[in-house]
Amino acid sequence: MSVDTEVPARTGNRVAAILVSLALAGNNAASYVLSLAAARILAPGAFGELSSLLAVLVIGVVPAMGLQTVVALRVARSPARHTGSLFALGLMTSGIVATAALTLSPLLVLLLHLGSLTPALLVTAALGPLTLLGLFHGLLQGSHRFAVLSGLIALEGAGKVGGSVVGLVVSGSPTGALAGAALGSLVVVVAGWQICGRPRPRWADRHGGEVLHTAQAMLALVLLVNLDLVLARHTLPAGAAGEYALGAIVTKIAYWLPQAVGVLVLPRFAVSDRRRRVLPVALAVCAGLDAVVLLVSLVLGPSLLTLIGGSRYAGSTLPVWPFALAGSLLALVQILLYARLADGDRRVTVLMWSAVGVETVLITTWLHGSATQVVTAAACCAGALAAAGAVLELRSRRPAPAPNPT
């Protein structure tokens, strides 16, 4: 049976790709609008603070990504599975994340040199509903309901990011932006619960260990996408950190541009034979899309920072293409990570965390004299990780040796 006929007919493959791509593009465009508005409304120091807090928020929703991945794979393998047990798993994961974030809020104030505890508490307030939202994404993704999933993704952009923009414009501060994000996220998760049929928790069948393992690997990936920005905020002067935050927008563009590819192929990775056919195509599509971002960053150079952040960055000499390269390589890493998680390969988690450790050591002890050094370290670690992930995948495809005759 072909791949096309195995996918439920309620959303065709090409239509699904278009819908998910448009929804993700709209969601990410909303995030870029937030970054552009913040770059113009806030002073460089405040913009760096908001960018680092938003990066922490992205890191904090990693359990939601792990939850979504586990739920999507389970639903793809067994569509008849009761959603009640999965909803209970989502509630449990959300509660753990919110409690942990509340406990670590004072540490966040010290790490990011915040003026008060309020911004850290607002990050905590947004994490609970955003974690639970991962459950609803997974239910829709695993059942190939991509049209509905794209609508929920678009609603997330309107609620979470739209709330941030409104809060930023009204208050003119990072605190207001985070308050808007928390309120918008709550509205979106209620809508997701409605869309998925108002499930009720069923506590008898839990899979917390599987979510924990997947979340560990996803956490390492998200750390790699945002770690350089947080470390730049910690090691560079305020002005240089703000300039780096603009370059990091290019990293996010390159990383998020092929996201629809991962959304569409993850349910297919649940079946081994299908994964081996689809993975090379997925990697090629990601590379082709990101080649455009890399070319634009090479042509425009530092003037791209002026286009993003306004005239105050007109004198910047920061090269932009390393940011695009880092994001492009991380997009490939994500596809390879999905393939290894679907195959139950525990080695990939060790590999991901090793890359996090190497990048942290490189930046904190050596390559932090300038923004260029920081992004160079990030790009090199991403490239090494992509190569190592490809090696793991190739080794997994080798046939098992024949048993010795007795």
Side-chain angles (χ1 to χ4, degrees):
M1 181 179 293
S2 66
V3 174
D4 290 344
T5 57
E6 291 178 21
V7 177
R10 66 188 94 182
T11 304
N13 289 331
R14 294 182 180 178
V15 175
I18 294 173
L19 291 175
V20 174
S21 297
L22 289 175
L24 288 171
N27 200 343
N28 294 325
S31 298
Y32 301 143
V33 169
L34 173 61
S35 297
L36 291 174
R40 285 165 168 76
I41 293 174
L42 302 175
F47 175 63
E49 175 183 327
L50 178 61
S51 297
S52 60
L53 286 168
L54 292 176
V56 170
L57 184 61
V58 172
I59 294 172
V61 298
V62 167
M65 300 172 63
L67 179 65
Q68 176 181 346
T69 302
V70 168
V71 171
L73 290 173
R74 284 191 169 273
V75 172
R77 292 179 180 132
S78 179
R81 178 176 292 275
H82 295 292
T83 60
S85 61
L86 296 176
F87 184 51
L89 176 64
L91 290 174
M92 179 180 65
T93 306
S94 177
I96 292 174
V97 169
T99 302
L102 181 62
T103 304
L104 295 175
S105 293
L107 180 61
L108 189 63
V109 175
L110 295 176
L111 176 64
L112 300 182
H113 313 296
L114 304 178
S116 70
L117 186 62
T118 302
L121 293 178
L122 289 172
V123 170
T124 300
L127 283 178
L130 288 177
T131 301
L132 189 57
L133 187 61
L135 166 74
F136 304 130
H137 283 169
L139 291 174
L140 298 174
Q141 183 182 9
S143 58
H144 299 271
R145 297 172 62 190
F146 294 118
V148 182
L149 175 62
S150 62
L152 184 58
I153 292 172
L155 184 61
E156 179 183 358
K160 182 186 70 174
V161 183
S164 300
V165 173
V166 172
L168 175 65
V169 172
V170 171
S171 69
S173 68
T175 300
L178 293 169
L183 291 174
S185 300
L186 181 61
V187 172
V188 174
V189 78
V190 172
W193 179 70
Q194 294 278 349
I195 290 171
C196 291
R198 302 180 183 180
R200 297 292 189 273
R202 182 171 174 266
W203 299 98
D205 187 15
R206 302 179 185 178
H207 308 281
E210 188 177 358
V211 173
L212 179 61
H213 164 65
T214 305
Q216 288 182 53
M218 299 302 295
L219 174 59
L221 175 62
V222 175
L223 278 173
L224 288 169
V225 175
N226 297 277
L227 182 61
D228 59 323
L229 178 59
V230 175
L231 292 177
R233 169 72 180 175
H234 184 67
T235 59
L236 297 176
E243 186 179 43
Y244 193 96
L246 282 180
I249 294 176
V250 179
T251 302
K252 302 300 190 300
I253 292 174
Y255 175 71
W256 286 107
L257 182 61
Q259 286 299 296
V261 178
V263 173
L264 294 174
V265 301
L266 177 61
R268 300 183 185 185
F269 285 172
V271 181
S272 178
D273 291 340
R274 229 192 293 182
R275 181 179 67 250
R276 294 183 179 184
R277 296 196 305 268
V278 171
L279 179 59
V281 178
L283 292 173
V285 172
C286 286
L289 290 172
D290 277 332
V292 177
V293 181
L294 185 59
L295 179 61
V296 170
S297 66
L298 283 168
V299 171
L300 295 181
S303 62
L304 187 57
L305 297 181
T306 306
L307 182 63
I308 296 174
S311 58
R312 73 178 67 180
Y313 298 96
S316 175
T317 59
L318 180 65
V320 181
W321 68 266
F323 291 93
L325 179 61
S328 302
L329 292 169
L330 289 171
L332 299 179
V333 168
Q334 183 182 49
I335 298 297
L336 291 166
L337 174 61
Y338 283 157
R340 294 291 80 228
L341 289 174
D343 197 40
D345 191 344
R346 296 293 178 111
R347 295 173 299 173
V348 70
T349 302
V350 177
L351 185 63
M352 297 294 295
W353 280 106
S354 298
V356 171
V358 171
E359 182 171 325
T360 301
V361 171
L362 282 176
I363 294 176
T364 56
T365 64
W366 181 26
L367 297 175
H368 58 259
S370 66
T372 302
Q373 289 186 358
V374 174
V375 71
T376 298
C380 289
C381 290
L385 183 58
V391 169
L392 282 183
E393 179 63 28
L394 290 174
R395 287 184 175 178
S396 71
R397 297 182 178 222
R398 292 179 180 175
N404 293 325
T406 59

